[in-house]
Structure formats: C-alpha cells, structure tokens
Amino acid sequence: MPQPMTLVIGNYNYSSWSLRAWITLRKTGAGFEVIRLPMDTSEFHERIGEYSPTRRVPVLIEGDLVIWDSLAISEFLAERFPMARLWPEDVAQRAVARSIAAEMHSGLTAMREEFPMNCRARDRHFEPSQRAGEDLARVEQWLQTCRQLVPGSGPLFGHYTITDGMLIPVLLRFNTYCLAKTRLTQEYLDWVLRDADVMEWMEHAAKEIEVIEHDER
Ligand SMILES: N[C@@H](CCC(=O)N[C@@H](CS)C(=O)NCC(=O)O)C(=O)O
C-alpha cells in the first residue's frame, strides 16, 4: 500500500529542478504535501539536511523512502503510476524521450547559468554567449525531432511525459528572456503557458516575496 508522499522543493520562482519533480507528480493525479524551503536562506541551510543527503531540492519522501533527484523522482513516478503514462508507449519514441530528458538533466549548463529560471520576470533581453546560444539551439532541435516523430503543438509525445516536465522550466526561460526563435518553439511555449499545473506553479511564484539576487540578471 503506497504511503503519503511529501515533496520538498525550493522557491517556486527560481527552483527549476523542483518544478520538474512537482509537475510530474501533479500529472500522476496523486495527492502529496509540499514542504517549501526558500533557497539561499538560513532556514534552507538549517532544514535541508533533515530531508536531503545532497542538501539539494527536490526530494520526494514516501514513508522511509527518500528520492533526492528530479530525474530519479520522475522515473519512480513512472513506475509507481503506470496509468499516468509518463513515458511514450512506443519503444523508439520512449528512447528519444529519454535521450532528451537525460541530455537536459546532465547538460545545457551555459544556458542554465546565463538564463536562470525566474518565473515572475518578463521582457529581459540578453545576448547569449556562444555556448549558451548552442544550448538554446539544441532545445529547438529537440522540438523539431519530436514534432517529426509525433506531429502536434502540445505535449511532445501526444500526452504529457517526463520529457515535457524536463523542458517546461526551459520554456519558462524562453518566456522570461524572449528567446523563442521558431514557430515550433512559440507554439510549444503557448501550450506550456496554458497548462493548468504550470499556471498554478506560476501563481505560487508570483506570490513569493524572496529575491535571489544572483538569479536576477
Ligand atoms: N541533479 C539535481 C539538481 C538539484 C539542484 O541543483 N537543486 C537546486 C535548486 S534548483 C538546489 O537545491 N540548490 C540549493 C543549493 O545548492 O543550496 C536534480 O535533478 O534534482
């Protein structure tokens, strides 16, 4: 019998890895509690050790089980909630979906550093460095690859998958920093911004009062 789940997250406004775990958990339809620890505060540093062996968020707790990484949490949820279809059913599509999720999880570091997720912020314009520009182009290539496999403009594989969860925080950066260059990207961004769970996350972000200076460029 599954036990109640608790997700420990950082700031709604800034914590992109928290959003990835949170939104995939929402898509399972399961109930869960949220513990929010505002990052870069003494509260975070005092309390995070109670939950996370890496002192990072997100962390999913189910009874004695502690899962301390967004991709591991997502994979756990895919196994725990098969009816949520968190990966594509087709084996080839699933392999591509996993490749993109893994590449996102382990890479795109220049884009992540230069364009921090900042859900509230709008109309920020910065020229990307060459490396960040390559990361941004990579995102657009992923979208092209997915749309060739499964035509559409909403979720990448026809229904929500973990790959969408991995990309949603990137698309929110496209929104903040006006980075969408192609029609495919703009259409996908439009879908992201209309998603009810994304809207709920953004509402939480809008209500937060903490400001993390190094994420406000
Ligand atoms: N690979 C980890 C990355 C987690 C991560 O870097 N989390 C950031 C917030 S988005 C964090 O906890 N930062 C707080 C700190 O480093 O003090 C995952 O996928 O969950």
Side-chain angles (χ1 to χ4, degrees):
M1 181 72 179
Q3 303 195 41
M5 291 186 288
T6 301
L7 186 70
V8 185
I9 63 170
N11 306 55
Y12 288 93
N13 194 52
Y14 300 109
S15 184
S16 58
W17 297 111
S18 298
L19 168 54
R20 290 178 170 102
W22 181 90
I23 195 147
T24 293
L25 188 42
R26 283 303 293 258
K27 298 300 181 190
T28 68
F32 62 99
E33 269 184 34
V34 168
I35 296 178
R36 191 188 78 101
L37 299 181
M39 300 184 300
D40 261 16
T41 63
S42 51
E43 182 189 357
F44 186 92
H45 296 297
E46 278 158 23
R47 294 186 56 200
I48 188 64
E50 291 169 39
Y51 306 107
S52 170
T54 57
R55 304 188 66 79
R56 287 178 176 249
V57 285
V59 185
L60 180 66
I61 301 164
E62 190 204 59
D64 293 337
L65 178 61
V66 175
I67 313 170
W68 61 86
D69 177 276
S70 61
L71 192 53
I73 292 168
S74 302
E75 289 284 7
F76 168 77
L77 295 172
E79 292 179 6
R80 177 68 96 222
F81 299 98
M83 301 296 278
R85 302 193 301 154
L86 293 175
W87 288 119
E89 287 81 8
D90 177 81
V91 69
Q93 289 178 20
R94 192 159 65 246
V96 172
R98 281 202 161 111
S99 298
I100 295 171
E103 189 180 341
M104 178 66 243
H105 189 251
S106 61
L108 281 75
T109 48
M111 183 212 65
R112 278 160 41 199
E113 271 161 34
E114 286 176 36
F115 298 98
M117 189 177 88
N118 187 339
C119 295
R120 297 185 288 252
R122 291 288 176 280
D123 294 323
R124 303 221 171 158
H125 297 266
F126 302 104
E127 207 46 50
S129 68
Q130 188 183 335
R131 280 183 53 234
E134 287 165 7
D135 289 348
L136 294 168
R138 194 74 196 110
V139 175
E140 310 234 17
Q141 284 166 10
W142 290 339
L143 299 188
Q144 271 179 20
T145 302
C146 291
R147 296 310 186 200
Q148 275 164 11
L149 275 175
V150 182
S153 55
L156 295 173
F157 293 91
H159 57 84
Y160 177 90
T161 65
I162 288 167
T163 307
D164 295 300
M166 281 285 147
L167 292 203
I168 283 171
V170 177
L171 270 293
L172 295 183
R173 289 161 155 107
F174 278 67
N175 191 39
T176 294
Y177 303 101
C178 311
L179 294 167
K181 288 214 178 89
T182 64
R183 184 181 52 82
L184 280 189
T185 312
Q186 189 58 52
E187 283 174 356
Y188 185 49
L189 175 57
D190 292 343
W191 170 74
V192 166
L193 294 176
R194 283 196 311 268
D195 179 87
D197 294 312
V198 171
M199 286 165 72
E200 186 183 322
W201 180 273
M202 301 284 264
E203 279 167 25
H204 285 298
K207 287 187 198 138
E208 283 179 332
I209 52 165
E210 300 92 2
V211 174
I212 300 182
E213 283 303 335
H214 60 80
D215 285 340
E216 292 287 340
R217 47 162 313 198

